């Protein structure tokens, strides 16, 4: 591959990575903003995911530029490499979406937990203890565990 073909591939590849990164950033920011009360945290998380996407995708672009996959005229070489790059970008994009989805699910889970804790009369997460027979009230004493109980039968 001559220098011009190599530079054309790198330019088109970098442009595709940057455009896809901007799509992830803009869409991801809106996606995470709807699930969290703290927009600064959502913005920070999407920036980290976008930076990770750019680093991985540009690294793969650099590695792909070194591999001689296709022979033939320069135009076919560039188109073939760009096709492989698009497939690789699709996989990296899917990974970024998976990370964003996991972050959103975690945010939604935390917000539901926080809203339940703030709601009076909501079920608590305290353990339910069955009272020992003969004890009444809100906080009965707990019977001793099996390992601490002296049954009087002797050693096992």
């Amino acid at each position: 591959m001559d220098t011009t073909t190599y530079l054309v591939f790198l330019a088109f590849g970098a442009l595709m990575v940057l455009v896809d990164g901007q799509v992830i950033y803009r869409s991801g920011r809106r996606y995470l903003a709807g699930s969290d009360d703290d927009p600064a945290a959502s913005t920070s998380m999407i920036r980290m995911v976008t930076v990770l996407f750019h680093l991985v995708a540009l690294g793969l672009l650099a590695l792909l530029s070194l591999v001689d996959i296709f022979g033939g005229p320069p135009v076919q070489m560039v188109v073939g490499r760009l096709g492989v790059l698009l497939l690789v970008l699709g996989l990296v994009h899917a990974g970024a979406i998976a990370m964003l989805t996991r972050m959103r699910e975690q945010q939604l889970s935390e917000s539901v937990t926080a809203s339940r804790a703030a709601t009076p009369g909501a079920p608590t997460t305290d353990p339910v203890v069955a009272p020992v027979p003969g004890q009444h009230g809100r906080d009965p004493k707990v019977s001793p565990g099996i390992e601490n109980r002296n049954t009087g039968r002797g050693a096992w």
Side-chain angles (χ1 to χ4, degrees):
M1 178 184 322
D2 63 343
T3 305
T4 305
T5 306
Y6 184 74
L7 293 176
V8 166
F9 169 71
L10 285 178
F12 277 123
L15 181 65
M16 289 171 21
V17 168
L18 293 175
V19 167
D20 194 21
Q22 284 300 307
V23 168
I24 290 173
Y25 177 74
R26 292 171 193 261
S27 300
R29 194 172 64 193
R30 275 186 254 124
Y31 183 66
L32 289 180
S35 64
D36 194 12
D37 295 335
D38 188 9
S42 296
T43 302
S44 177
M45 284 189 281
I46 190 61
R47 281 185 184 153
M48 288 188 290
V49 170
T50 305
V51 167
L52 179 64
F53 169 82
H54 281 104
L55 291 174
V56 170
L58 289 173
L60 290 171
L61 172 67
L63 291 175
L64 186 60
S65 71
L66 299 176
V67 179
D68 190 18
I69 301 172
F70 302 99
V75 172
Q76 286 181 347
M77 290 174 63
V78 169
V79 170
R81 286 180 184 222
L82 287 176
V84 173
L85 178 64
L86 283 171
L87 294 173
V88 170
L89 276 179
L91 293 175
V92 176
H93 189 98
I97 290 172
M99 285 193 302
L100 290 174
T101 301
R102 183 172 177 158
M103 287 178 189
R104 182 180 171 128
E105 287 173 354
Q106 185 176 5
Q107 287 175 344
L108 289 173
S109 173
E110 288 173 1
S111 68
V112 166
T113 303
S115 68
R116 284 186 182 167
T119 306
T124 62
T125 58
D126 295 335
V128 177
V129 178
V132 175
Q135 294 181 344
H136 301 286
R138 175 157 166 69
D139 296 320
K141 294 181 182 175
V142 179
S143 63
I146 294 175
E147 65 275 355
N148 297 330
R149 186 178 298 174
N150 185 1
T151 59
R153 291 189 218 170
W156 289 76

